[in-house]
Amino acid sequence: MQTDAAPAGDNTYDEDGEKLGAFLQDYTEEDEVGNPLRKYMKVLEQVANRESRRVDIELDDVAEHMGEEMAEKVRRNTLRYKEIIACAIDNVLPAPTAAAADRDVFDVLMEERTRAAAAAASDAVGGVDPNNKVPAELTRRYQVFVLPRVKDKSVPLRQVKAKHIGSLLTLKGIVTRVTEVKPQMKVATYTCEQDGTEVYQLVHGTTFMPQTNWNGMTLHLQTRGSKFEKFQEVKIQEEPDQVPQGHVPRAMTVHLYGDMTRQCAAGDTLTISGVFLPVPSSGFRQLKAGLITNTFLEAMSVEKHKKSSVDFTPTAEMQEELDELAEEPEVYSKLAQSIAPEIFGHDDVKKALLLLMVGGATRKMSDGMRIRGDVNICLMGDPGVAKSQLLKYIANTAPRAVYTTGKGSSGVGLTAAVVRDTVTGDLVLEGGALVLADMGICCIDEFDKMEE
């Protein structure tokens, strides 16, 4: 029973592990004052003191300290080197300098496991069974994330090919569906029925076969002693400006783990960096699919774009410019002319679109009746008068906006669609354009061509 996922027996990987361990210890950068600071050892001290659970390894730092070749090796084989870095962290992790604020179940279990292992080592003639040692994955209180280089540009979803499998890449898209956060098992712990010995099983993937016996003895799964990790599945879709005319938008599934969960909602525009991996089928599904597999992106970093106007906080310099602009008498006309400046004329239309983006005041009457302040606009005109260009400009400018066409959606599809969840297999509702544009602007082009 394999308990350690670290690559062993390969001199190249062993040498790289030693180099990465030295990199974690020796890499320095200047702090705010200008004094040298060991960046990653500072992070590891926070991990040892349980102040942080995340270790971000930046490829720019690896390239600066170890050369471009090592950074490229990590980028092209990210998942393997992620485990190598975790093993290197286990070797160089400093002792905690502060006592833990509170002991949890894991501390009690580890004390008991250490005591049992010492007792077994003293009683056994040939030593402890090497296949039954506590796996490193169970003792780690941190997660390793590899961040891409600053110069790496995002790859359009349509250009993600088979050559990217296993490597680190950056994608940008709109979130269309977010599942609930659920625990995913990483290490399964079993208790022997005869002598109470603990047996461990590493879980790599979404499914595993539970162990029922060990050396002829019955095993029982110990849920409290196993290790679970927060898991969330997100589906992203390519942005409207990346979809060719007449094509259906491409989508990709993204898996989020640990602290990266609950960071986005449907309708958000994200830049996600992660490892592009295949999902091998199993059972009857594999007999039907053959050699074809689905793919997903195991996220390493998530960056949210287009924050809502409520979350927006102007800087001091920007606030000064806003105050100066508010004092000008022709501010209304200036703001309207700044909408799609490449389009000449249409002053009244641009002023109406400006009022749409600003929105009206929501009124609540004394009897409890609520009058919405939202503005709805329908643009009608001859072909070639820049109706679609104005719509796309509003969709790109507004903090939260979704652009769709009447050709590719129906009246029902604008609100919601019933799809099958890939994780649980249950039927769930997937939001349409109006749901994704909640508290924002929904731009619908060619409204008259929409199906009933």
Side-chain angles (χ1 to χ4, degrees), residues 270-330:
L270 302 178
T271 296
I272 302 179
S273 300
V275 187
F276 186 53
L277 297 171
V279 185
S281 303
S282 59
F284 291 104
R285 184 177 298 177
Q286 186 175 9
L287 295 176
K288 185 178 179 181
L291 299 178
I292 300 175
T293 62
N294 295 323
T295 55
F296 71 98
L297 190 76
E298 184 176 323
M300 294 286 175
S301 66
V302 177
E303 181 184 356
K304 185 192 260 187
H305 298 281
K306 278 191 171 183
K307 294 184 179 180
S308 64
S309 55
V310 180
D311 301 332
F312 177 74
T313 303
T315 60
E317 183 179 354
M318 187 181 300
Q319 187 63 45
E320 291 180 1
E321 295 181 359
L322 291 175
D323 295 338
E324 293 177 0
L325 186 63
E327 295 176 357
E328 295 187 9
E330 299 295 330

Side-chain angles (χ1 to χ4, degrees), residues 146-450:
V146 181
L147 305 184
R149 306 192 64 174
V150 177
K151 67 177 184 180
D152 291 344
K153 298 182 179 179
S154 60
V155 181
L157 282 178
R158 291 181 177 269
Q159 296 183 11
V160 178
K161 308 295 183 183
K163 64 180 181 180
H164 294 108
I165 287 181
S167 61
L168 186 69
L169 71 156
T170 304
L171 303 176
K172 187 178 180 182
I174 301 174
V175 179
T176 59
R177 180 160 56 93
V178 179
T179 64
E180 296 180 0
V181 178
K182 297 182 178 180
Q184 187 181 72
M185 183 174 287
K186 289 298 181 182
V187 180
T189 303
Y190 303 91
T191 303
C192 179
E193 190 178 50
Q194 278 75 9
D195 56 1
T197 305
E198 283 190 338
V199 181
Y200 310 98
Q201 178 187 9
L202 287 176
V203 180
H204 302 288
T206 56
T207 60
F208 75 105
M209 177 63 70
Q211 301 290 331
T212 56
N213 60 76
W214 178 65
N215 294 338
M217 295 180 286
T218 306
L219 296 178
H220 296 284
L221 181 63
Q222 184 183 348
T223 306
R224 196 176 187 187
S226 303
K227 182 177 181 179
F228 294 86
E229 192 174 26
K230 290 186 292 184
F231 169 77
Q232 187 177 33
E233 186 179 273
V234 173
K235 191 174 182 181
I236 63 172
Q237 180 178 288
E238 58 183 341
E239 295 182 291
D241 56 351
Q242 296 180 351
V243 182
Q245 188 72 26
H247 287 69
V248 179
R250 299 279 179 89
M252 179 173 290
T253 302
V254 181
H255 290 178
L256 304 177
Y257 296 95
D259 296 338
M260 285 191 299
T261 57
R262 296 191 178 94
Q263 288 193 8
C264 57
D268 293 339
T269 302
L270 302 178
T271 296
I272 302 179
S273 300
V275 187
F276 186 53
L277 297 171
V279 185
S281 303
S282 59
F284 291 104
R285 184 177 298 177
Q286 186 175 9
L287 295 176
K288 185 178 179 181
L291 299 178
I292 300 175
T293 62
N294 295 323
T295 55
F296 71 98
L297 190 76
E298 184 176 323
M300 294 286 175
S301 66
V302 177
E303 181 184 356
K304 185 192 260 187
H305 298 281
K306 278 191 171 183
K307 294 184 179 180
S308 64
S309 55
V310 180
D311 301 332
F312 177 74
T313 303
T315 60
E317 183 179 354
M318 187 181 300
Q319 187 63 45
E320 291 180 1
E321 295 181 359
L322 291 175
D323 295 338
E324 293 177 0
L325 186 63
E327 295 176 357
E328 295 187 9
E330 299 295 330
V331 60
Y332 182 36
S333 300
K334 277 190 174 183
L335 290 176
Q337 292 172 4
S338 65
I339 295 178
E342 68 274 7
I343 299 173
F344 180 77
H346 296 307
D347 292 336
D348 293 338
V349 176
K350 291 182 179 181
K351 288 180 179 179
L353 293 175
L354 175 62
L355 297 177
L356 166 72
M357 297 177 64
V358 175
T362 302
R363 298 173 60 189
K364 191 170 183 180
M365 311 304 290
S366 58
D367 57 352
M369 184 178 65
R370 181 175 173 271
I371 301 177
R372 293 180 301 168
D374 303 328
V375 180
N376 299 317
I377 293 180
C378 178
L379 296 179
M380 293 183 292
D382 297 329
V385 293
K387 298 187 300 294
S388 298
Q389 294 295 324
L390 289 170
L391 279 183
K392 289 184 178 180
Y393 187 87
I394 297 298
N396 293 329
T397 307
R400 187 182 182 93
V402 174
Y403 179 85
T404 184
T405 59
K407 281 184 177 180
S409 60
S410 62
V412 178
L414 285 176
T415 54
V418 179
V419 296
R420 189 170 295 277
D421 191 354
T422 57
V423 178
T424 61
D426 300 332
L427 292 175
V428 296
L429 286 175
E430 183 173 327
L434 292 177
V435 178
L436 299 180
D438 184 33
M439 302 299 293
I441 301 174
C442 182
C443 304
I444 306 175
D445 200 2
E446 297 178 346
F447 194 77
D448 57 318
K449 298 180 177 61
M450 184 178 298

